[in-house]
Amino acid sequence: MSTVTSPTVLEATGLEVSFPVVRGGHRTTVRAVRGVDLSIAAGETLGIVGESGSGKSTLARAVMRLIPAEGAVELLGTDVSGLSEREFRAHRRKVQMVFQDPYSSLNPSLTVGQSVAEPLKVHTKMSGPERRSRVEEVLDLVGLRAEFADRYPDEFSGGQRQRIAIARAIILEPEILICDEAVSALDVSTQNQVLSLLESLRERLGLSYLFISHDLAVVRHISDHVAVMYLGEVLEQGPVDRIFERPAHPYTQVLLEAVPEPEPELQRSTTKRVLEGEIPDPTNPPPGCPFQSRCPFAMDVCSEPMPVVEIEGGGISRCHLHTSGPRLGGAPLASLDDAVATQEQQETR
C-alpha cells in the first residue's frame, strides 16, 4: 500500500535572529533564534513549546518577516527570504497571524467589520459591498453573527474578540495560520471553544498551523508534530505522541514532568525532576548544548556541537546521550532513567 505524503507549505532552514543590546555600558548581541530548521505539511499543525524567553514568538515573527532574520524561508515552494517588502506582499496573504492578546490586537476606533475587512482593502480590489459580504461570511465561519460587524471591539468578551481576530486572519484564505499564544489569555472554557474552532477551520479550509504555546496540554491536543525550543534552539522534534510518551531529550522530559497531575494523590506520590541553576545569559550562551548547565545527565562532551540523532518513532533529538556515555542510540530517555534506577538499587544493596 502506497503512502501519500502531503506537500510542504512552510519550510525554514537555518533561521537566525539577533538583537543588539546594551549590557553594562557595552553593546552586545542576543541571538534570539539560532539556526532553527522546521517544516509544516499541508493540513498539519506544528506545535512550538518552551519556556518564556526560548525564542518561540521571535521565531514566529521571523517567519512572518515582521523582524529581520537570516536563513531561508519557503512558502509553498517559493523562497521568500530574499524578496523585497513589495515583492513579498503577494506572498503575505498566504500566511497570517493570530496574536496573544485579543484586547490589544484590535483597533478600538474601528468597527469589527472595518477591522476584519482591512486585509481585503490592502490585498484585493473588492468593492465596498463585496468586502461587506465577505466579512459577514467569515464572521459566520467563526461563530459570530453578521450584525456584529457594526459594533466595536469593547462590546465583546475576550473569546469573542479572539474569534474576530481569527476572522481577520482567514479572510484572505491563507494557507498557513501562525497562532502565537492565541488562547493563553483566555479562561479554560473559552480556550476549549477557540481550540475547537481552530480545528474546525483546519478541516473546512485546509489550513496548516504553526501553533506556539507554553501550555503542553493545549499543544498535545491540537498538534501533529512538536518542536521543543530552549535558548533559541530546537532541541527535539517529532510526532506529538512520540514526544509526549517517549521524550528523547532531557529538557523535553523536564518540561513534561512539570505538568501538574490532575489527581492530588498521584501528584504527591510522583517523583518529579526539578531544574536547578539559572537559564544561561543569552548574550553569552555556553558552547554546545545550551541546556548543559541545568541538565541532570550533562557530560563533558555536551560542550561540543550537538548531534542530530533520529529517534525511533519519528523525529530527532539533539543530545549526546544518544551518541556517548549511556548510548541511548535513539531510545527514549526513560531507558536511561530505568538504567540509573537499577544502578542505584544495586549500590544500596
Side-chain angles (χ1 to χ4, degrees):
M1 184 174 65
S2 62
T3 301
V4 177
T5 302
S6 299
T8 299
V9 293
L10 171 65
E11 184 165 13
T13 306
L15 209 58
E16 296 260 353
V17 179
S18 298
F19 297 115
V21 295
V22 177
R23 293 281 179 88
H26 299 284
R27 293 179 61 85
T28 185
T29 300
V30 172
R31 292 177 62 200
V33 176
R34 304 195 288 158
V36 168
D37 300 335
L38 59 84
S39 64
I40 304 175
E44 293 192 341
T45 297
L46 172 64
I48 308 289
V49 300
E51 296 172 283
S52 296
S54 61
K56 305 186 301 296
S57 294
T58 303
L59 173 65
R61 284 159 173 76
V63 170
M64 283 288 293
R65 289 193 38 163
L66 298 177
I67 56 175
E70 297 180 2
V73 176
E74 288 190 7
L75 293 177
L76 303 173
T78 300
D79 186 351
V80 299
S81 49
L83 301 182
S84 67
E85 185 58 34
R86 183 175 181 178
E87 292 170 327
F88 181 64
R89 177 175 291 186
H91 299 274
R92 188 179 293 278
R93 63 185 300 165
K94 300 175 184 177
V95 52
Q96 295 292 308
M97 194 164 184
V98 179
F99 296 92
Q100 175 178 356
D101 188 355
Y103 293 90
S104 63
S105 63
L106 298 174
N107 189 332
S109 65
L110 298 180
T111 65
V112 166
Q114 289 171 327
S115 287
V116 174
E118 202 166 11
L120 296 177
K121 295 179 69 175
V122 174
H123 292 279
T124 75
K125 296 181 180 180
M126 283 185 177
S127 65
E130 288 173 329
R131 291 198 298 268
R132 175 71 185 208
S133 176
R134 177 61 178 156
V135 166
E136 292 179 354
E137 180 183 351
V138 296
L139 287 178
D140 180 66
L141 274 175
V142 300
L144 298 174
R145 297 197 299 271
E147 58 264 30
F148 286 1
D150 298 316
R151 294 164 60 177
Y152 288 87
D154 62 2
E155 302 177 54
F156 297 94
S157 67
Q160 289 174 319
R161 292 189 198 198
Q162 201 62 306
R163 288 173 183 267
I164 294 167
I166 292 170
R168 181 178 59 188
I170 66 172
I171 199 165
L172 290 173
E173 300 180 319
E175 300 279 346
I176 307 158
L177 207 58
I178 298 178
C179 300
D180 185 10
E181 298 281 6
V183 298
S184 63
L186 309 175
D187 61 69
V188 174
S189 175
T190 307
Q191 276 189 12
N192 292 334
Q193 294 171 14
V194 173
L195 289 173
S196 295
L197 170 63
L198 290 172
E199 290 180 311
S200 172
L201 291 175
R202 181 170 68 168
E203 293 296 324
R204 296 177 65 175
L205 305 179
L207 287 168
S208 303
Y209 292 130
L210 178 62
F211 192 90
I212 296 167
S213 179
H214 66 277
D215 190 323
L216 294 171
V218 168
V219 168
R220 183 168 195 179
H221 175 77
I222 199 170
S223 301
D224 299 293
H225 295 84
V226 177
V228 183
M229 289 191 71
Y230 184 81
L231 210 66
E233 300 196 60
V234 171
L235 301 186
E236 183 169 4
Q237 291 190 56
V240 62
D241 288 339
R242 201 279 294 164
I243 291 285
F244 278 80
E245 295 171 9
R246 304 173 68 231
H249 195 284
Y251 179 59
T252 307
Q253 188 176 56
V254 167
L255 284 181
L256 295 176
E257 289 183 354
V259 178
E261 297 285 352
E263 297 293 335
E265 291 187 5
L266 184 60
Q267 174 75 13
R268 287 191 293 267
S269 64
T270 302
T271 302
K272 303 283 187 177
R273 184 174 288 110
V274 179
L275 272 180
E276 297 181 356
E278 301 293 332
I279 297 177
D281 182 353
T283 66
N284 186 31
C289 177
F291 187 59
Q292 62 180 283
S293 62
R294 308 173 74 194
C295 179
F297 306 116
M299 304 172 287
D300 291 341
V301 72
C302 296
S303 295
E304 298 180 9
M306 291 183 290
V308 178
V309 181
E310 294 187 2
I311 303 300
E312 182 180 351
I316 59 96
S317 176
R318 301 179 67 197
C319 181
H320 279 289
L321 287 172
H322 297 276
T323 61
S324 303
R327 297 189 182 278
L328 290 174
L333 196 59
S335 302
L336 179 58
D337 285 337
D338 293 342
V340 171
T342 300
Q343 182 178 355
E344 290 176 348
Q345 290 175 359
Q346 293 174 347
E347 290 175 351
T348 57
R349 287 176 182 173

